[in-house]
Amino acid sequence: MADQKRDYYEVLGLKKGASEADIKKAFKTLARKYHPDLHPGDAEAEAKFKEINEAYGVLSDSDKKARYDQFGHAGVDPSYGGGDGGFGGFSGFSGDVGDIFDSIFGGFGGFGGFGGGRSTASNVNAPRQGGDISVNITLTFMEACHGTKKDIDITHMVKCPQCSGTGADSNTVKQTCTECNGQGSVKVNQRTPFGVISSSKVCSKCGGKGQIITNPCSKCRGAGRVRKTDKINITIPAGINEGQTMRLAGKGDAGINGGSAGDLYAEIRVKSHDLFTRKGNDIYCDVPLTYMQAALGDEITIPTIDGNISYTIPEGTQSGTKFQLRGKGVKAVNRDSHGDQYFTVTVEVPKKLNKKQRELLKAFDDSLDEKNHSRKDSFLNRLKKKLDN
């Protein structure tokens, strides 16, 4: 019996039914974390990377995902579970279960979610888009609010400069593969409970290219692509926030067989600020007031993300009062609108009073009446009524 595999959703840290976007995002995060280039010689990281790729290869393909959701691993790996699983009759076959069902039911528009739209070995020679890559970009709080430009280093696959992506030296002779006659795929017959079924497989002799290169390029060893680190400049728009992702088209890995390049996804991280916090496009901060400022009112300085402004605090302001500054928040990304800023005042009670200060404060308190303590008076009245009842 085959070794038990982990659930593919569990591998990517997702729940069954996750959306295509969630699957893609989870894969990028984990692939970046365990990429072999970042962990040279780490067998455990390499194994995790392979497991992540295997899970993504199934869940990112709508047909395979449908089979997996219905039948589990047996739906995408006919050798899984030996003769004991729900697809035990197919155990031992090297072909994909979907290939078998497509061969039988494909002409009838598919069966059980298996049919239609699947790529086969016959199109391996077609141009293929390069893979997407992702990076993290860390911004200061103010850089995120106002926008900035960042130079970052990315490592991606680029077209080999020596062979221009052909994979062959200039003096090479390309020969049509005799195994597949230039098709890139070969027919394989499989004996199943339904009879002998023919399916297409990638030609092992030419690797699906249809041609044999007699003298592979010495730089890329026939791959047509090489890994390179480039420095690129990214313009960060004003108002971008923690966790948002920017897409830069064509900045990912170079394509294969003349295909277009993949994309670069830059995930934004934002550092915290000493004074401000942010919720959406609104800014929040706390402002301290002295006892006298709160009692008498005062014109005070309020910090904003665009600089300090003056604001008049009214007489009798209570600690915890929140004020709103319209339009003083963060600019919405790619829109001509701004959030607001809210600041909450905190009245600081004086400490370590000397004798004279205590006497003055006591005299001041004795001079006050109920008009000066509306909240206290209201509280005492409510308390008295409660006790009387």
Side-chain angles (χ1 to χ4, degrees):
M1 181 173 178
D3 293 337
Q4 290 294 322
K5 292 183 179 181
R6 283 207 299 157
D7 177 75
Y8 286 147
Y9 289 101
E10 179 186 339
V11 169
L12 297 181
L14 300 169
K15 293 183 179 180
K16 188 173 181 179
S19 67
E20 181 181 347
D22 289 338
I23 292 170
K24 191 171 187 179
K25 182 177 181 180
F27 168 71
K28 288 177 181 177
T29 300
L30 292 171
R32 180 172 61 248
K33 181 177 180 181
Y34 293 107
H35 198 286
D37 287 350
L38 302 178
H39 305 277
D42 188 335
E44 183 178 353
E46 182 178 354
K48 285 184 177 292
F49 186 74
K50 290 180 179 178
E51 184 182 40
I52 293 164
N53 272 286
E54 179 181 335
Y56 182 69
V58 171
L59 299 183
S60 63
D61 184 300
S62 58
D63 294 312
K64 291 181 180 179
K65 182 175 180 292
R67 296 201 299 273
Y68 180 74
D69 287 346
Q70 189 171 5
F71 299 108
H73 290 293
V76 292
D77 183 359
S79 64
Y80 183 82
D84 300 325
F87 275 61
F90 295 130
S91 63
F93 296 120
S94 60
D96 184 275
V97 173
D99 291 331
I100 296 174
F101 275 87
D102 283 345
S103 299
I104 299 172
F105 303 104
F108 298 93
F111 177 80
F114 300 135
R118 301 185 71 256
S119 60
T120 64
S122 60
N123 66 356
V124 293
N125 257 334
R128 282 182 285 165
Q129 184 178 23
D132 296 335
I133 62 174
S134 59
V135 295
N136 284 334
I137 298 180
T138 300
L139 306 175
T140 67
F141 189 91
M142 290 302 184
E143 284 177 334
C145 291
H146 297 131
T148 186
K149 293 181 181 292
K150 286 285 184 180
D151 288 326
I152 64 169
D153 293 327
I154 60 170
T155 300
H156 57 165
M157 301 298 293
V158 299
K159 184 187 294 185
C160 176
Q162 183 166 302
C163 67
S164 298
T166 65
D169 274 343
S170 57
N171 61 346
T172 194
V173 176
K174 290 186 178 180
Q175 299 175 345
T176 299
C177 177
T178 56
E179 186 73 21
C180 64
N181 294 321
Q183 296 301 307
S185 61
V186 294
K187 292 288 185 181
V188 178
N189 293 326
Q190 295 176 314
R191 187 175 298 278
T192 76
F194 301 100
V196 177
I197 295 177
S198 295
S199 60
S200 296
K201 299 296 178 185
V202 175
C203 177
S204 59
K205 185 174 182 179
C206 66
K209 294 182 178 180
Q211 294 179 323
I212 301 297
I213 299 176
T214 58
N215 295 310
C217 171
S218 60
K219 187 173 182 65
C220 66
R221 298 181 181 179
R225 303 188 304 173
V226 293
R227 188 169 295 279
K228 183 185 178 185
T229 298
D230 287 322
K231 186 180 293 292
I232 64 172
N233 184 267
I234 297 181
T235 299
I236 310 293
I240 201 161
N241 208 348
E242 169 77 21
Q244 290 187 303
T245 300
M246 294 180 58
R247 172 178 170 267
L248 284 81
K251 296 297 184 180
D253 289 336
I256 299 172
N257 297 332
S260 59
D263 300 329
L264 168 66
Y265 289 86
E267 190 165 346
I268 302 300
R269 296 283 180 263
V270 181
K271 295 179 180 179
S272 60
H273 195 274
D274 291 338
L275 293 178
F276 302 118
T277 57
R278 177 178 173 182
K279 295 180 182 179
N281 291 326
D282 293 332
I283 295 292
Y284 294 81
C285 72
D286 293 327
V287 176
L289 294 182
T290 67
Y291 183 84
M292 293 307 296
Q293 284 178 318
L296 303 179
D298 194 11
E299 184 175 304
I300 64 173
T301 298
I302 303 296
T304 75
I305 61 173
D306 295 315
N308 296 336
I309 64 170
S310 294
Y311 190 90
T312 300
I313 298 294
E315 177 182 329
T317 294
Q318 302 298 307
S319 186
T321 302
K322 181 188 290 186
F323 296 89
Q324 180 181 15
L325 302 175
R326 294 190 180 278
K328 291 298 183 180
V330 184
K331 181 182 182 299
V333 177
N334 299 324
R335 290 169 52 194
D336 190 21
S337 63
H338 289 72
D340 299 327
Q341 176 170 328
Y342 298 88
F343 68 92
T344 302
V345 296
T346 303
V347 179
E348 295 185 338
V349 178
K351 298 183 293 184
K352 298 180 180 180
L353 301 176
N354 58 36
K355 183 179 178 180
K356 183 177 181 180
Q357 289 170 334
R358 288 175 180 274
E359 291 173 349
L360 290 172
L361 190 57
K362 182 66 169 63
F364 170 70
D365 186 60
D366 291 342
S367 70
L368 301 177
D369 56 29
E370 63 274 6
K371 294 184 299 182
N372 304 114
H373 290 112
S374 57
R375 290 188 180 182
K376 178 181 176 183
D377 184 57
S378 176
F379 170 75
L380 292 175
N381 286 335
R382 291 198 306 269
L383 181 60
K384 183 176 183 300
K385 290 179 181 179
K386 185 72 174 177
L387 294 175
D388 289 343
N389 294 332

